Amino acid sequence: MKKIYVGMLGCGTVGTGVAKILIRRKALIESRLGASLILKRIADIDIQRDRNIFFDEGVLTTDAQKVVDDPLIDIVVEMIGGVGVAKDLILKAIRNGKQIVTANKALLAVHGPELFKASEANHADLAFEASVGGCMPIIKSLRESLIANQIMEMTGILNGTCNFILSKITADNSTFHEALAIAQAKGFAETDPALDVGGFDTAHKLAILSALAYGTEINYNDIYIEGITLITPLDIVFAREFGYKIKLLAISKNRGDTADVRVHPAMIPFDNLLSEINGSLNAIKVVGDAVGDIILYGHGAGMMPTASAVISDIVDLARNLLTGATGRIPALSFQTNAIKKIPVLPIDKIRTHYYFRFAAIDQPGVLSKIAGVLGDHNISIKSVHQKGRKSEGAVPVVMLTHIAQEASVKKALAEISALEIVSGKPVLIRIEDKNGEDDNQVRKPV
Ligand code: HSE
């Protein structure tokens, strides 16, 4: 049987899962591929740790160059992460004629165009299914299965850590830090959890998906990013009373000349399927002009689910090698000369529904003052709730709005903050609710 040699850069949680599947599911993979995948060399800074796998003598090394320079290795799998050494090693491997698999979302979000160009110039395939959504086959879906479609919209829960934290606070009133500590212990938080809770990890993934969906070079730095650190249990309780759950959403809407691409906590109604995605699970809804809505749902992180996606890439590239079909599918699915530069819509220009919470003095005329400022800025109130009553101090006043423009909302909130009747900074949470009046909807029939 023909042999295809695989080298791995990094053998942490996911790398260990990849090695386990390659070794323990050897026969299954051979029966599908018609060739044998040989794990030739694995580079990691820690080669002493017990990974519960038997490796042949000489497979493990601390020298990454021994992987990228090994003339026998056909496919290099990068699982180091980060944008430093990982990029240099991938570029060297490409120059050395290797096919590349990477799970590195940060690297692709920031340096994707450079890496795609290098791989194309060297007739190398660069596969990255595990970079977004763990086991969910979202990259293959966008790159291959949905190519008949103009992608109109994508809405996803793409960070297991944030979803776990928000679900835990919602379920049992845990504090943010208690929930984060559990997520870290379970191993799905990033080494620096600020990447998770700050929304950056989600934005890396959304940049990749938007580039694939629209055939554009989405600049990660243009994406509006807001994390979950300011979400309080109080807002989660209010959200529930209004029929919403709070989720950290990755939102990408095709507006033709621009792309509305943003990451922020949002309230979504109970009848939105994404509101049912709890714990560390991920999900993404894709709207295509031919297919309508598609939802993928599954484990967005973790050893075996993510390793499953890496193995699917390895087998794809091995199949290409076996049939001489390398380069058959362009990295972003679009031909290089068809890749556009669609600008990202500035956040001030978005129009959506809003939830506001003010800490206001409980006295006559307060509501009319707040409502007056909102009215001055053309912001129409849908409902108002005031909870509790205090003889002194502030009470939470909560308002939901009809569709309003973000720029007007910001001006109005700045004016309201300056009122003496309001203390602290108002809370703003956007609402993604399509109940018949969301003019963000962009769907043109084929
Ligand atoms: N830290 C990420 C998460 C891991 O929590 O979803 C997968 O990218």
Side-chain angles (χ1 to χ4, degrees), residues 221-287:
N221 294 311
D222 292 340
I223 300 177
Y224 176 78
I225 307 170
E226 193 182 303
I228 61 165
T229 49
L230 297 179
I231 298 295
T232 64
L234 186 59
D235 296 310
I236 289 176
V237 169
F238 277 132
R240 191 186 295 136
E241 287 180 14
F242 289 117
Y244 295 114
K245 276 204 189 161
I246 299 180
K247 296 287 181 190
L248 181 72
L249 287 191
I251 297 168
S252 182
K253 298 183 188 192
N254 180 349
R255 293 177 161 279
D257 294 342
T258 58
D260 177 5
V261 187
R262 48 195 156 99
V263 172
H264 55 72
M267 292 193 183
I268 50 175
F270 292 154
D271 63 4
N272 181 332
L273 280 178
L274 293 182
S275 78
E276 296 295 326
I277 310 304
N278 292 314
S280 63
L281 286 156
N282 282 199
I284 182 155
K285 183 176 96 173
V286 179
V287 183

Side-chain angles (χ1 to χ4, degrees), residues 105 158-161 188-190 196 201 205 282 300-301:
K105 58 246 163 166
L158 299 179
N159 185 272
T161 303
F188 41 79
E190 298 296 304
D196 296 300
D201 175 79
K205 294 165 180 169
N282 282 199

Side-chain angles (χ1 to χ4, degrees), residues 13 164 168 179-189 280 301-303:
T13 306
F164 180 84
K168 189 103 180 85
L180 173 60
I182 300 171
Q184 286 177 297
K186 284 179 181 273
F188 41 79
S280 63
M303 179 187 282

